[in-house]
């Protein structure tokens, strides 16, 4: 097994860290949501700060050819043997991806499921991800300084390191940071998962991974991680309350001294209107003029009128999972009033069949003003961000949210509900003293959403004011640099804490 890198682990504030990251998706290899954007960008940002990152993730069918496995792990789980190939790919200086090659688990349609149904063996698929990451890490010549696990799919890593591998010298003193990207996904499985994953029965307890007589990967991760982060400060506070805790508020409150919020950055090499290959005309804060060409292009793409009259009408964009979390129930409730607004709509998403059907029906009923694409289409997402005037995100809850940041970067003014990361990243035009960057509403009601849209449309006609809002959004720094530095601090704190535990000075 090759050395991760010859970097001494430690908490010396100047020393480069070697970070073993574990996640189920990452841009550009596999994406179902914001998790992939984050895991795709954070390693590069850490590497630019001088740290070394190795990301372990499954090689799904759609990852395509990435090379051949030169090392293998034989993992025995629940009476089955899984032969897992390790395909190591150096993607950038100090950033390596290790793909887990195991056709029986990962070579199939869909990341987590197919045709609306979760894969029935997800517990085993992600149990193997976690076991393989632990085995890979322990066989390295130089152990990692810290492990960073993302979401429920990687949340067994802290559990395994503190149980199965608790006395393993390779893992001594190595802390685990768990990041929760969305508390609503908890990795819940039936009790016999304990056997399928060879987890000791003693773990099936309230202090372990049992949750209402089920196994919860995420609960285990929360209980055993050295530090827990989530993706905005507001969401970090919200998940301690019954309203946003998804049943885990009590568990998280017990560990609140370990919980913090670090807002996501955006990958400014991928989301920049000046260099975006999916836009027909580049533009920037210095010259927003060509955005009009992008507006025309997005209207054309959706088969909507794009003449000069149509171009004066604001375009409202949405790129979203079509689920209640994203406020689709509010949109459903307000659909008649929304259709009465003097705007065009360009909509991209997949999700709840009820909401997909709603948007399809609205497009049929208003063929001149509503364009709907049901599906997942990354280039089209870029075109919508570039070509829209307004971007609507009326989320019920939003751990961080990325689209509002993409929108601001693209001079597309977001209309958002004040929750989670939306509250932390959008400055309300109507209530801030400095330059606002979007329109923010508080209550989760159709009328509050409509009022914010009305305010935005009234402002849209005030061209200089609108240009100032666009400019304020486009010139904000949403790069990963600051957030990556905050993660480094989190890693160092965790290393120090674990070293104290090792020295017998307790938790
Ligand atoms: P979440 O992870 O909760 O879905 P985020 O706003 O954090 O929400 O991130 C969603 C990411 O997925 C964004 O990059 C967004 O552009 C992208 N996305 C969501 N739905 C689609 C879609 N149908 N087609 C293309 N990209 C999509």
């Amino acid at each position: 097994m090759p050395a991760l890198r010859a970097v001494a682990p430690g908490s010396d504030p100047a020393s480069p860290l070697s970070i073993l990251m574990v996640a189920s998706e990452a841009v550009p290899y596999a994406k179902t949501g914001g998790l992939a954007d984050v895991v795709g960008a954070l390693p590069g940002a850490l590497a630019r700060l001088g740290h070394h990152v190795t990301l372990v993730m499954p090689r799904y069918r759609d990852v395509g050819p990435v090379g051949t496995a030169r090392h293998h792990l034989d993992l025995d789980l629940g009476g089955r043997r899984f032969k897992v190939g390790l395909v190591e790919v150096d993607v950038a200086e100090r950033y390596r991806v290790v793909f887990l090659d195991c056709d029986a688990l990962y070579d199939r349609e869909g990341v987590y499921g197919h045709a609306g149904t979760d894969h029935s063996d997800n517990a085993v698929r992600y149990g193997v991800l976690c076991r393989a990451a632990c085995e890979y890490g322990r066989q390295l010549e130089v152990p990692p300084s810290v492990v960073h696990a993302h979401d429920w799919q990687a949340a067994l890593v802290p559990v395994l390191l503190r149980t199965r591998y608790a006395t393993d010298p390779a893992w001594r003193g190595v802390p685990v940071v768990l990041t929760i990207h969305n508390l609503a996904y908890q990795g819940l499985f039936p009790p016999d998962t304990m056997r399928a994953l060879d987890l000791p029965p003693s773990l099936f307890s309230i202090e372990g991974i049992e949750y209402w007589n089920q196994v919860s990967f995420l609960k285990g991760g929360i209980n055993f991680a050295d530090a827990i982060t989530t993706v905005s400060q507001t969401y970090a506070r919200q998940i301690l309350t019954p309203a946003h805790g998804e049943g885990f508020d009590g568990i998280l409150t017990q560990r609140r001294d370990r919980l913090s919020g670090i807002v996501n950055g955006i990958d400014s090499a991928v989301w920049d209107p000046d260099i975006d290959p999916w836009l027909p005309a580049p533009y920037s804060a210095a010259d927003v003029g060509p955005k009009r060409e992008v507006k025309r292009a997005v209207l054309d793409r959706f088969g909507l009128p794009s003449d000069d009259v149509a171009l004066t009408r604001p375009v409202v964009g949405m790129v979203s999972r079509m689920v209640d979390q994203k406020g689709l129930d509010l949109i459903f409730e307000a659909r008649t009033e929304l259709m009465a607004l003097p705007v065009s709509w360009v909509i991209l998403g997949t999700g709840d069949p009820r909401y997909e059907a709603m948007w399809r029906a609205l497009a049929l009923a208003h063929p001149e003003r509503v364009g709907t694409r049901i599906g997942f289409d990354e280039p089209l997402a870029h075109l919508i961000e570039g070509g829209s005037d307004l971007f609507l995100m009326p989320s019920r809850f939003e751990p961080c949210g990325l689209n509002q940041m993409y929108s601001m970067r693209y001079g597309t003014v977001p209309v958002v509900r004040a929750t989670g990361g939306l509250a932390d990243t959008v400055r309300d035009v109507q209530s801030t003293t400095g330059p606002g960057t979007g329109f923010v509403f508080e209550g989760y009601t159709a009328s509050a959403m409509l009022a914010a849209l009305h305010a935005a449309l009234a402002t849209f006609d005030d061209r200089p004011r609108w240009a100032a809002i666009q400019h304020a959004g486009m010139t904000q720094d949403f790069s990963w640099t600051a957030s990556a530095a905050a993660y480094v601090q989190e890693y160092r704190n965790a290393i120090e804490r674990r070293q104290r535990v090792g020295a017998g000075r307790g938790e």
Side-chain angles (χ1 to χ4, degrees), residues 318 327-335 338 358-359 392 394:
M318 281 189 84
L328 269 290
D329 50 340
L330 280 193
I331 290 175
F332 186 83
E333 189 186 331
R335 62 196 184 285
L338 290 172
M358 172 191 75
W359 275 115
L392 181 59

Side-chain angles (χ1 to χ4, degrees), residues 199-220:
L199 295 169
S202 59
L203 265 180
F204 197 68
S205 69
I206 264 193
E207 306 77 38
I209 65 175
E210 184 263 344
Y211 182 67
W212 294 102
N213 206 33
Q214 286 195 289
V215 168
S216 165
F217 278 34
L218 190 66
K219 179 177 171 182

Side-chain angles (χ1 to χ4, degrees), residues 442-465:
E442 291 285 334
Y444 191 69
T445 62
S447 59
M449 174 180 72
L450 285 165
L453 278 167
H454 280 294
L457 295 180
T459 312
F460 183 76
D461 293 330
D462 181 347
R463 301 312 296 165
R465 188 151 178 240

Side-chain angles (χ1 to χ4, degrees), residues 14-99:
S15 67
L17 300 172
S18 55
I19 302 143
L20 185 68
M21 233 180 240
V22 190
S24 56
E25 51 180 286
V27 166
Y29 308 109
K31 170 167 169 171
T32 71
L35 169 66
D37 291 288
V38 174
V39 181
L42 177 59
L46 290 165
R48 283 191 293 280
L49 292 176
H51 305 287
H52 299 259
V53 184
T54 299
L55 165 66
V56 178
M57 68 173 281
R59 191 229 290 242
Y60 303 106
R61 181 178 292 174
D62 285 349
V63 167
V66 281
T68 44
R70 282 187 288 133
H71 307 278
H72 289 86
L73 298 170
D74 284 321
L75 299 178
D76 293 314
L77 259 91
R80 287 171 74 188
R81 170 159 288 198
F82 295 95
K83 196 172 177 63
V84 179
L86 303 170
V87 185
E88 295 167 307
V89 181
D90 287 320
V91 286
E93 206 180 338
R94 296 188 290 273
Y95 174 27
R96 168 178 291 180
V97 180
V98 177
F99 291 101

Side-chain angles (χ1 to χ4, degrees), residues 132-144:
C134 293
E135 281 298 323
Y136 177 76
R138 72 186 285 278
Q139 293 181 27
L140 295 166
E141 277 170 35
V142 179

Side-chain angles (χ1 to χ4, degrees), residues 31 33-34 37 319-321 326 348-349 375-377 381 401-403 406:
K31 170 167 169 171
D37 291 288
V319 179
S320 179
R321 290 185 291 119
K326 300 289 180 183
L348 169 64
F376 198 95
D377 187 337
L402 295 168
N403 278 306
Y406 301 151

Side-chain angles (χ1 to χ4, degrees), residues 22-25 30-32 56-63 75 77-78 80 82-84 99-114 117-134 152-157 160 187 189 193 196-199 217:
V22 190
S24 56
E25 51 180 286
K31 170 167 169 171
T32 71
V56 178
M57 68 173 281
R59 191 229 290 242
Y60 303 106
R61 181 178 292 174
D62 285 349
V63 167
L75 299 178
L77 259 91
R80 287 171 74 188
F82 295 95
K83 196 172 177 63
V84 179
F99 291 101
L100 303 182
D101 212 353
C102 182
D103 288 354
L105 297 176
Y106 307 126
D107 182 24
R108 59 177 81 167
E109 285 275 314
V111 173
Y112 306 124
H114 182 52
T117 311
D118 280 353
H119 296 311
S120 59
D121 56 349
N122 274 345
V124 175
R125 296 173 78 226
Y126 294 105
V128 166
L129 167 68
C130 296
R131 270 287 299 282
C134 293
W152 73 261
Q153 295 89 343
L156 277 192
V157 171
L160 292 169
F189 299 102
T193 304
L197 298 182
D198 281 344
L199 295 169
F217 278 34

